[in-house]
Amino acid sequence: MGHFEPAVAPLRLFIAVAPPPAVQTLAQSVIERMRGSCDVRWVTPSRLHLLLKFLGKSSAEKVPELKEKLEQTANTFSRFAVECSGAGAFPSFGGHWPSGWVSIQENPSQS
């Protein structure tokens, strides 16, 4: 019999940064006030992130190379400040729950 390799589903990769603890605390407060008001599955504030770039589907083999490149360039950027400017949700697809989003814009007075 031949060697069988199980099929590995591609990963959905993205580049993101975690918000500071104060933002996570504020998010927890908002989530608690909204809990039960609509049919959504809430994530813990520690899983919230600011999506910088969606990379799409990729194989797991590419992750080490991407990680190395990100580590080389991530610290070349300065801190930045943003403010919320809107909110909404992406529709459900492929059996996944809809994802909520908050749009942001640069806050020049804090940069």
Side-chain angles (χ1 to χ4, degrees), residues 14-38:
F14 58 90
I15 300 169
V17 293
V23 173
Q24 291 181 5
T25 300
L26 177 61
Q28 180 67 42
S29 169
V30 170
I31 288 169
E32 290 305 319
R33 285 195 311 260
M34 294 181 67
R35 199 176 295 280
S37 65
C38 49

Side-chain angles (χ1 to χ4, degrees), residues 38-88:
C38 49
D39 186 24
V40 297
R41 181 184 65 168
W42 296 101
V43 297
T44 61
S46 64
R47 294 198 59 207
L48 297 175
H49 56 271
L50 173 58
L51 179 66
L52 300 175
K53 175 74 176 168
F54 180 68
L55 302 174
K57 292 181 180 179
S58 184
S59 66
E61 292 84 27
K62 296 219 179 235
V63 172
E65 177 186 352
L66 289 168
K67 183 179 178 205
E68 181 181 333
K69 287 181 179 182
L70 285 169
E71 287 172 346
Q72 291 171 356
T73 59
N75 289 326
T76 64
F77 293 92
S78 301
R79 293 178 66 144
F80 56 94
V82 296
E83 58 187 33
C84 297
S85 60

Side-chain angles (χ1 to χ4, degrees), residues 88-94 96-101:
F90 296 114
S92 175
F93 67 94
H96 296 281
W97 284 83
S99 296
W101 55 265

Side-chain angles (χ1 to χ4, degrees), residues 81-85 103-107:
V82 296
E83 58 187 33
C84 297
S85 60
S103 61
I104 59 169
Q105 61 187 25
E106 182 179 4
N107 183 338

